[in-house]
Amino acid sequence: RNLSRGVEALVDGAQHVAAGHYDQPVMMTSASPELAQVADAFNHMASQIASTEQTRRRMLTDLGHELRTPLATVRGWGELYQMGGVPPEQTDEVMGRIESEAKRMARLVEDLLQLARMDEGRPLEVTHFNVSQLAREAISDLIVLAPDRDTQVLTLEGEELEEELFIDGDRERLSQVLTNLLSNVLAYSPDGSPVEIAVGTNGTHTIIEVRDHGPGIDPADAKKVFDRFYRTESSRNRNTGGSGLGLAIVATIIKMHRGKVSMLNTPGGGATVRIILPNEYAVVE
């Protein structure tokens, strides 16, 4: 009788999950130890599905919120133009606003598609490459975008980086990590302020730090900046702030490398993003 009741409870639980109800655990008060273990595993699975479903719904809600403003802007200006309400001397300005908002939506969709592909578990293309050179290339690209910045590639101790550190990882994706972090620096630190990338190893881990010398970050924000769609108060303005996905992409790529990423305050003022990558094959040449 207990066996029959236990099986019925599992069937009922499966039906609840199939109907989208994940918060009704299967209760096994007098079942056999074997069925109790199955029930525990089932409840754990339902909890994971609930978490995934909540994340999906939250992302869809956030996406709708992010798209609402640029869509309304494009539609509003487009309708005004069609109605003849735009003076000829303002046509270029209006078309520029429409193009700007369209590009913003395109970047948002592109970032979301990239996150979706990574969430699917697409494998990394791991190679053995020079991370010191990767840092130098990222700084070189930054100099083109912001020639007024004082930029350096340093050791973790603050000396000029001369040694060549090699690691195993997906070079293209780690390059994107540095690109996203430096884009964040350009957006939220004062024009002309210094920027450094520091690279080093403690023997078992590769450590990369991107340091700026701007206003720094509030500790409460530092814990959330890698969440999807999160923006600090200083970046709420959509004309200057991003969609809140750039750092989320960074966090996802680092997680795929089994690493950790954190936001700290730079000594003396500013923000530092520290990346720690476990790597058995890190070598200095």
Side-chain angles (χ1 to χ4, degrees), residues 96-144:
R97 291 286 293 127
I98 292 176
E99 181 182 12
S100 175
E101 293 302 314
K103 287 181 178 179
R104 186 185 301 278
M105 288 187 288
R107 287 194 298 268
L108 175 60
V109 172
E110 184 178 344
D111 286 346
L112 281 170
L113 287 174
Q114 182 175 3
L115 282 168
R117 286 192 291 266
M118 289 190 290
D119 287 344
E120 290 174 356
R122 296 193 179 183
L124 298 171
E125 296 183 6
V126 178
T127 60
H128 190 65
F129 70 91
N130 187 338
V131 70
S132 301
Q133 182 60 30
L134 186 72
R136 296 187 187 104
E137 291 173 2
I139 286 293
S140 295
D141 291 341
L142 178 64
I143 292 173
V144 174

Side-chain angles (χ1 to χ4, degrees), residues 23-180:
D23 55 350
Q24 301 180 26
V26 175
M27 305 300 296
M28 292 287 182
T29 56
S30 58
S32 66
E34 291 79 7
L35 272 180
Q37 290 178 353
V38 173
D40 288 342
F42 184 89
N43 290 334
H44 178 68
M45 177 197 70
S47 176
Q48 289 184 316
I49 293 175
S51 177
T52 302
E53 180 68 10
Q54 290 171 1
T55 299
R56 185 185 69 83
R57 289 177 180 175
R58 184 172 63 251
M59 283 193 64
L60 287 174
T61 300
D62 290 338
L63 174 60
H65 177 74
E66 291 296 330
L67 287 175
R68 186 179 297 118
T69 298
L71 280 172
T73 300
V74 170
R75 181 177 181 180
W77 283 117
E79 289 179 350
L80 185 63
Y81 178 77
Q82 287 182 329
M83 294 168 56
V86 178
E89 64 272 14
Q90 291 186 352
T91 299
D92 289 343
E93 178 186 354
V94 169
M95 293 299 107
R97 291 286 293 127
I98 292 176
E99 181 182 12
S100 175
E101 293 302 314
K103 287 181 178 179
R104 186 185 301 278
M105 288 187 288
R107 287 194 298 268
L108 175 60
V109 172
E110 184 178 344
D111 286 346
L112 281 170
L113 287 174
Q114 182 175 3
L115 282 168
R117 286 192 291 266
M118 289 190 290
D119 287 344
E120 290 174 356
R122 296 193 179 183
L124 298 171
E125 296 183 6
V126 178
T127 60
H128 190 65
F129 70 91
N130 187 338
V131 70
S132 301
Q133 182 60 30
L134 186 72
R136 296 187 187 104
E137 291 173 2
I139 286 293
S140 295
D141 291 341
L142 178 64
I143 292 173
V144 174
L145 297 174
D148 60 330
R149 300 265 185 167
D150 180 13
T151 58
Q152 297 181 80
V153 179
L154 306 172
T155 65
L156 295 174
E157 295 74 26
E159 303 294 330
E160 182 180 354
L161 182 67
E162 297 180 351
E163 58 192 13
E164 305 301 320
L165 178 64
F166 286 76
I167 65 172
D168 289 314
D170 190 317
R171 192 183 196 281
E172 182 177 347
R173 283 178 170 165
L174 289 176
S175 176
Q176 182 179 3
V177 164
L178 295 183
T179 297
N180 285 18

Side-chain angles (χ1 to χ4, degrees), residues 180-181 184 225-227 244-252 261 263 273:
N180 285 18
L181 293 178
N184 206 59
V225 290
F226 296 101
D227 295 344
L245 291 177
L247 292 183
I249 290 174
V250 167
T252 301
V261 59
M263 179 77 75
V273 175

